[in-house]
Amino acid sequence: VPGRNVISVGTATALWETPLMTGPARRIGDGAVSALAANSRSVLSANGDVIRLQRGEGQDNTITESLRVGGTVGAAAWDAREQHWWVATDSSLIRVTQNSNGLAATSRLPIPGGARGLAVGANYVAVVLGDAGVVAFPRASLYSAQGGGVITPLRVVGEPRFAFDADFVGDTLYVAGGVDGVFR
């Protein structure tokens, strides 16, 4: 969490936070963490079908908001360009925004499998699906989803047998394939 100079760590038992230079780690949330993402000031974590957004400094001053998303969350990412969160479950890619009432799921797109990673690029949002590969949603089509349009993700071709994770560098998506190597 760059704006707060801390590292957040999600484990099978809790969400932890530790200052970069001084330590020690503090438990800031109970329960297993299945997905974790951060922006410059906040941390979004998931436990099952519940996401929690924590803002503020330290446990005593942390503001926590939560939202049940209706599916087991496997990945989360901050979209710096659009200033919202993406959350991927066992069946959906969900745009999560903050408003005066807290967190809101503002759009939901079907995905063909359980998510294990998310990558947000300038022109695409990609969902890593393990042995089901990788699918990517063009940003331009994501806006039509808000108006009720049907979106079909693009299947990434030439991928490894099992996609562990992915990230964009510019418009190029790199997919981690374990023993198969890294695919571009």
Side-chain angles (χ1 to χ4, degrees), residues 69-89:
V69 295
T72 303
V73 177
W78 171 248
D79 189 333
R81 177 177 165 186
E82 301 295 328
Q83 299 293 299
H84 61 77
W85 302 93
W86 288 106
V87 174
T89 69

Side-chain angles (χ1 to χ4, degrees), residues 41-56:
R41 309 274 322 149
S42 305
V43 174
L44 183 118
S45 62
N47 178 329
D49 71 339
V50 175
I51 57 171
R52 295 181 297 211
L53 181 66
Q54 296 178 278
R55 300 177 284 127

Side-chain angles (χ1 to χ4, degrees), residues 27-66:
R27 178 181 239 157
I28 63 169
D30 291 327
V33 176
S34 59
L36 185 63
N39 65 17
S40 64
R41 309 274 322 149
S42 305
V43 174
L44 183 118
S45 62
N47 178 329
D49 71 339
V50 175
I51 57 171
R52 295 181 297 211
L53 181 66
Q54 296 178 278
R55 300 177 284 127
E57 301 287 334
Q59 190 172 17
D60 297 333
N61 298 320
T62 299
I63 299 165
T64 303
E65 301 170 57
S66 63

Side-chain angles (χ1 to χ4, degrees), residues 159-181:
E159 58 202 26
R161 291 173 287 175
F162 192 94
F164 286 91
D165 205 355
D167 205 357
F168 282 98
V169 176
D171 276 338
T172 303
L173 180 65
Y174 291 88
V175 179
V179 296
D180 289 342

Side-chain angles (χ1 to χ4, degrees), residues 1-10 15-28 36-40 42-43 57:
V1 186
R4 295 177 38 217
N5 291 319
V6 298
I7 294 175
S8 295
V9 178
L15 176 62
W16 299 84
E17 178 178 275
T18 184
L20 289 173
M21 303 303 280
T22 60
R26 292 186 312 257
R27 178 181 239 157
I28 63 169
L36 185 63
N39 65 17
S40 64
S42 305
V43 174
E57 301 287 334

